[in-house]
Amino acid sequence: MVVLIGVYMFIEVPNLNPLFFDGAVFWAVIITGFVAVWGMFRFGEIIIQLNPDVSQGERPVNYVSRRKFPKWTKFLLAAPWIFIVLTLIFSSVFIQWKAYRDQLGTSQVMEFASDMQAVDLRQVPVVDKELALNLADKKLGERPSLGSQVVKGEATIQRVNGKLVWVVPLQHSGVFKWLTNLSGTPGYVMVSATDVNDVEYVENFKIKYQENSYLLHDITRHVRFHGGWFTGIADPSFELDDNGQPYWVYTTYKNLRGFSLPEATGAYVVNATTGEMNRYTIDTIPEWVDRIQPESFIINQIDNKGEYVRGWLNFADKDKFRSSEGHMIVYNNGRCYLFTGMTSVGSDDSAIGFIMVDMVTKDSMVYQMSGATERAAQQSAEGKVQHLGYRATFPLIINLGNEPTYFMALKDKEGLIKQYAFVSVTNYSIVGTGETIQLAEQDYRLGLKSAGISAGIADTSTQTKAQGVVLRIASEILGGDTEYKIILENQQDKIYLLGAVLSDELALTQVGDKVVIEYMDSGDGVLQAVSFDNLSFSQK
């Protein structure tokens, strides 16, 4: 039995802390097994018959009890299971519903326009996890010998030196590949979240410790054998420091009530190359670590807050809410957040607000505004291009000129990005699509203008007005949308880009006409116009 227990502990590396459910069950089974076997030999006898008479109903192995088990042995057998049952009852929602409701804490109510950072459309993430893995796979395909040795691990979005990227670790494709590469797999693939053409294979760092690896090279087994036997651990995340060194950030947690309400307390940070490991609290975690709070913990806490807002006897569902069907990791003012909508129970398409939770400290902010859920926004965007059969990625909510806006990519059946879409949160019938982000934005702004929404038409902090005489004008068609390019006589070093949707006057504008252009200055000499007026028409 000792040998079997040792093998089980090495393979499954369970939590041995009896204050956690899996640890309590482990010790209950151990105590039950040892006491039962000891009692059988102590108070009885096992008789083995080498030639049993089957016709007489004799069995080859029989157990004969010489006397009854003492009461103390029965108590010892029952005690651990009684402890588990009582703890489950004590930590149930029927008794602890206030703790379930309040675990997330009090959220700070924020104004979206002033507190959500305005987004730079050149830095908006367009690559989702599925596309990141496909791009990483394509990058590995450039090295045929490497593709047969490794497989892709879980992609993690993170900010590295100010750049938003997906990082995909390379893992052993089998036990024989592991045996021939005990020093680790050769690196990872880094995919830009904002540029599908920016994919880099980094081979300067070995990844010796991996998820689902073998023997002591498995990251969970490594953490357990180096001090983590009695600690709750969850959600290993693959992250890079500012020098590109890969680490595993393994969340540590405790239960607030019995076996329930797991609460993150810090993390083990493990060097994926050397295995060097340090334990940190939330307050002492290195600045480059983006995430400690497991996403599943946060979503459960949001749902519990909405489910038990008026206790567990609220059968009328008064004031109940839940998180949206999906969520996204976003960055705001340099911090990593989980962002999701909140919708009333029973409502499928309308959100009552949005919540943003810091993935390190768990501080939360609520934006109280009604609007469409993420799924409703996806359906609205897909409806505008239904003739093309594109599917929308999970949307990112952004601050576009103080207007809360969903942004998403539209992909074909092969998973390639074909168009982009902007959808108003407050009125999801306003949709803008285009082959480029700029064209989609122009289409969206026109929709806002038609709906009488002026707050989102322009970001005045970067908006500039230019007036002059047209030196050159030309047009080109991009994905079915016409875009004009204009150079003014007094600003010959600048090119103004204007979508045809901005004004009907563009098609009639000629060289020599006097015009006024309002534009967004991106700082690269190419200026994206947001409005256009041909003064020559009014003068004539």
Side-chain angles (χ1 to χ4, degrees):
M1 288 186 66
V2 171
V3 171
L4 290 176
I5 292 170
V7 171
Y8 171 80
M9 289 178 60
F10 185 84
I11 295 175
E12 297 296 330
V13 284
N15 184 352
L16 300 185
N17 191 332
L19 298 180
F20 293 79
F21 180 75
D22 49 351
V25 171
F26 173 83
W27 288 112
V29 172
I30 295 297
I31 292 172
T32 301
F34 271 101
V35 172
V37 172
W38 175 83
M40 289 175 64
F41 284 97
R42 179 68 177 80
F43 305 110
E45 182 180 3
I46 296 178
I47 301 174
I48 302 176
Q49 297 185 15
L50 298 179
N51 298 300
D53 189 346
V54 180
S55 62
Q56 298 296 323
E58 295 180 356
R59 293 176 296 181
V61 180
N62 291 277
Y63 175 74
V64 177
S65 178
R66 289 194 289 266
R67 59 191 178 96
K68 294 182 179 181
F69 279 39
K71 290 183 178 181
W72 66 268
T73 58
K74 296 178 181 178
F75 173 78
L76 193 58
L77 287 170
W81 300 104
I82 293 174
F83 169 77
I84 292 174
V85 172
L86 291 178
T87 304
L88 288 173
I89 294 174
F90 167 77
S91 58
S92 69
V93 69
F94 305 108
I95 297 176
Q96 303 290 346
W97 67 268
K98 288 185 178 180
Y100 279 75
R101 181 195 63 187
D102 299 335
Q103 185 181 6
L104 183 63
T106 302
S107 300
Q108 186 176 3
V109 179
M110 311 290 281
E111 291 291 333
F112 185 86
S114 59
D115 297 303
M116 172 61 77
Q117 184 180 27
V119 69
D120 180 354
L121 292 180
R122 294 171 300 169
Q123 298 298 321
V124 68
V126 298
V127 178
D128 61 0
K129 179 182 287 189
E130 179 185 16
L131 181 56
L133 289 172
N134 289 339
L135 293 173
D137 193 53
K138 182 179 178 181
K139 193 68 176 180
L140 293 179
E142 298 174 1
R143 299 172 177 242
S145 59
L146 183 63
S148 62
Q149 298 291 318
V150 299
V151 294
K152 303 185 300 296
E154 183 77 8
T156 306
I157 192 169
Q158 55 199 272
R159 190 178 291 274
V160 180
N161 289 321
K163 182 179 178 181
L164 192 61
V165 296
W166 289 95
V167 180
V168 183
L170 303 183
Q171 299 182 346
H172 296 292
S173 59
V175 63
F176 295 107
K177 303 299 190 297
W178 169 70
L179 287 172
T180 56
N181 295 279
L182 292 176
S183 61
T185 50
Y188 52 86
V189 179
M190 191 159 58
V191 182
S192 170
T194 60
D195 184 359
V196 295
N197 297 313
D198 186 1
V199 183
E200 181 184 2
Y201 167 53
V202 181
E203 56 183 344
N204 300 331
F205 303 96
K206 291 282 189 178
I207 304 178
K208 182 176 181 179
Y209 298 90
Q210 307 172 11
E211 288 186 287
N212 302 316
S213 190
Y214 306 94
L215 300 181
L216 295 180
H217 289 181
D218 177 81
I219 183 61
T220 302
R221 196 169 288 120
H222 179 78
V223 170
R224 289 293 192 206
F225 274 85
H226 287 79
W229 283 110
F230 291 86
T231 304
I233 55 175
D235 193 36
S237 176
F238 188 79
E239 295 195 34
L240 309 180
D241 66 8
D242 293 334
N243 297 317
Q245 172 63 49
Y247 287 84
W248 291 101
V249 180
Y250 221 135
T251 298
T252 60
Y253 71 94
K254 63 179 180 180
N255 293 320
L256 298 183
R257 294 293 187 275
F259 299 143
S260 302
L261 304 181
E263 181 74 17
T265 58
Y268 286 109
V269 179
V270 185
N271 188 308
T273 303
T274 65
E276 180 183 356
M277 186 173 78
N278 293 292
R279 184 173 181 176
Y280 298 93
T281 65
I282 291 177
D283 295 331
T284 61
I285 200 74
E287 291 186 4
W288 56 264
V289 175
D290 289 347
R291 282 186 278 182
I292 291 179
Q293 305 288 338
E295 295 173 36
S296 60
F297 286 14
I298 299 301
I299 293 298
N300 285 336
Q301 291 175 31
I302 294 172
D303 289 340
N304 286 339
K305 188 171 186 176
E307 178 68 21
Y308 307 113
V309 63
R310 290 185 176 273
W312 63 273
L313 291 173
N314 185 12
F315 300 116
D317 293 341
K318 185 177 181 180
D319 297 330
K320 280 187 178 182
F321 63 87
R322 56 179 172 80
S323 61
S324 299
E325 294 181 2
H327 63 272
M328 177 172 279
I329 298 298
V330 301
Y331 284 80
N332 187 52
N333 294 320
R335 300 289 296 179
C336 179
Y337 293 90
L338 180 145
F339 200 104
T340 186
M342 298 183 295
T343 181
S344 298
V345 172
S347 176
D348 294 328
D349 294 328
S350 64
I352 60 174
F354 300 86
I355 187 169
M356 194 159 65
V357 183
D358 191 300
M359 294 302 287
V360 175
T361 65
K362 211 183 73 170
D363 294 335
S364 59
M365 295 175 286
V366 170
Y367 301 96
Q368 293 180 338
M369 57 181 174
S370 60
T373 62
E374 294 91 339
R375 182 54 193 151
Q378 287 177 285
Q379 292 173 339
S380 184
E382 291 170 356
K384 189 167 183 179
V385 293
Q386 58 183 327
H387 60 291
L388 299 173
Y390 296 157
R391 289 291 175 262
T393 60
F394 191 81
L396 169 70
I397 192 169
I398 62 174
N399 181 353
L400 187 60
N402 293 334
E403 179 71 15
T405 302
Y406 285 120
F407 170 80
M408 65 204 82
L410 297 171
K411 300 195 295 186
D412 61 13
K413 294 180 179 179
E414 300 300 322
L416 301 176
I417 296 176
K418 294 300 182 182
Q419 289 191 17
Y420 303 91
F422 292 89
V423 180
S424 172
V425 172
T426 55
N427 184 355
Y428 64 98
S429 64
I430 302 176
V431 183
T433 59
E435 292 280 334
T436 65
I437 295 177
Q438 290 75 20
L439 290 175
E441 181 196 7
Q442 290 175 9
D443 190 23
Y444 174 64
R445 291 185 185 278
L446 182 64
L448 289 174
K449 186 175 181 180
S450 300
I453 303 176
S454 59
I457 291 180
D459 183 354
T460 57
S461 63
T462 57
Q463 180 180 332
T464 309
K465 182 181 292 186
Q467 181 173 322
V469 177
V470 176
L471 176 66
R472 290 188 179 182
I473 181 171
S475 65
E476 62 178 335
I477 298 177
L478 298 174
D481 297 317
T482 302
E483 183 176 68
Y484 289 87
K485 297 181 180 179
I486 291 178
I487 299 177
L488 302 180
E489 289 184 353
N490 58 337
Q491 293 179 327
Q492 297 185 23
D493 59 334
K494 296 179 179 180
I495 300 175
Y496 295 94
L497 305 181
L498 306 95
V501 297
L502 286 180
S503 174
D504 293 334
E505 296 177 348
L506 277 167
L508 303 174
T509 299
Q510 299 177 353
V511 173
D513 285 352
K514 190 175 182 180
V515 299
V516 175
I517 303 172
E518 289 184 84
Y519 63 92
M520 308 290 287
D521 190 351
S522 61
D524 56 5
V526 178
L527 309 174
Q528 189 67 50
V530 297
S531 70
F532 175 82
D533 185 21
N534 191 321
L535 300 179
S536 298
F537 293 163
S538 59
Q539 292 173 353
K540 293 178 182 178

